[in-house]
Amino acid sequence: MGTKAVDESAETSEAELKGAEGVADAKGAESDGGGDGEAVSAEAGKGPVLTETDAETDAAAEAEAEGAVDDDEFDEDEDDEIAVGASAAASAGVGQGAAAVVAAALGVIGLSGGWLGTVASARESLIGQLKTSQSAGVAEQVQQVYGDSWKTTALVGGLFALAALVAGVGVLLRPVFGDPGRVQAPWIKSVAWAGVALGVIGLLLAIAKYTNIILGLPSTS
């Protein structure tokens, strides 16, 4: 009878211990669940949190966008510089072409004398007639009326020829003193060389006529 009572007491003690452990576990579970819920609620209240990887990705995207903008600005500046350079080159080509044409025209005038040479020659002839008396010799009259007039024509033609020579040489040498790397248009060189050639020929003929090497005064003896 005593042994049975002891066994029942032991079983009762074990049951009570198990029941206490179960209650403690339930309380711990509730405590853990409440903490997790509060943490989740707190996280939900804070909203989306950016991680370090997301921040680096955003920074890289912003850097690429800024780089693209800088590249666009650089391309626009480069295009503007190219346009300005092309405009300057076109202006220089127009000026050189005009100067070459002027050189060739001056060369033609130097050979023909032009209206200015004709007027100067007639004026000199008139002056000679007014200065020469009726009693002057034939040689003097020829010199005053015709000789001086022809020399004046040669002088005017020589001046035009010299101007053509200077203008043509200036056009040919312009790239050397301006932009040596810039290629001059072939037609500009051709016209400039034509002006130089006409200028040289006209200048030589003017000197020869002015010094009576060619087409001198006829003999009056």
Side-chain angles (χ1 to χ4, degrees):
M1 294 291 292
T3 304
K4 185 177 181 180
V6 172
D7 292 336
E8 290 178 356
S9 299
E11 290 177 358
T12 302
S13 298
E14 290 179 359
E16 291 176 354
L17 289 173
K18 289 181 178 180
E21 289 178 358
V23 172
D25 292 338
K27 290 182 178 180
E30 290 178 357
S31 176
D32 293 338
D36 293 338
E38 292 176 357
V40 171
S41 299
E43 291 180 356
K46 291 180 180 178
V49 179
L50 294 178
T51 62
E52 185 177 355
T53 303
D54 294 336
E56 292 177 355
T57 303
D58 293 340
E62 291 178 358
E64 291 179 357
E66 292 179 356
V69 172
D70 293 339
D71 292 339
D72 293 339
E73 292 178 354
F74 178 76
D75 293 339
E76 290 178 358
D77 294 339
E78 187 176 0
D79 293 340
D80 293 339
E81 291 178 358
I82 293 174
V84 171
S87 178
S91 300
V94 170
Q96 293 177 20
V101 173
V102 169
L106 290 174
V108 173
I109 295 174
L111 289 175
S112 62
W115 66 269
L116 185 60
T118 302
V119 172
S121 175
R123 181 177 182 277
E124 190 64 28
S125 177
L126 179 60
I127 292 174
Q129 293 176 10
L130 294 176
K131 289 183 176 180
T132 303
S133 62
Q134 295 294 332
S135 59
V138 176
E140 183 180 357
Q141 290 181 5
V142 171
Q143 179 63 38
Q144 292 291 334
V145 176
Y146 296 102
D148 293 343
S149 174
W150 293 346
K151 285 185 177 181
T152 301
T153 303
L155 179 62
V156 173
L159 292 176
F160 277 106
L162 181 62
L165 179 61
V166 171
V169 172
V171 172
L172 294 174
L173 296 180
R174 179 65 180 85
V176 177
F177 296 100
D179 188 0
R182 183 175 298 168
V183 179
Q184 196 174 48
W187 72 270
I188 295 178
K189 289 183 178 181
S190 299
V191 177
W193 275 115
V196 171
L198 292 173
V200 170
I201 295 173
L203 188 59
L204 292 176
L205 291 176
I207 293 173
K209 178 63 190 79
Y210 192 85
T211 57
N212 291 326
I213 295 177
I214 60 173
L215 301 176
L217 289 174
S219 176
T220 58
S221 56

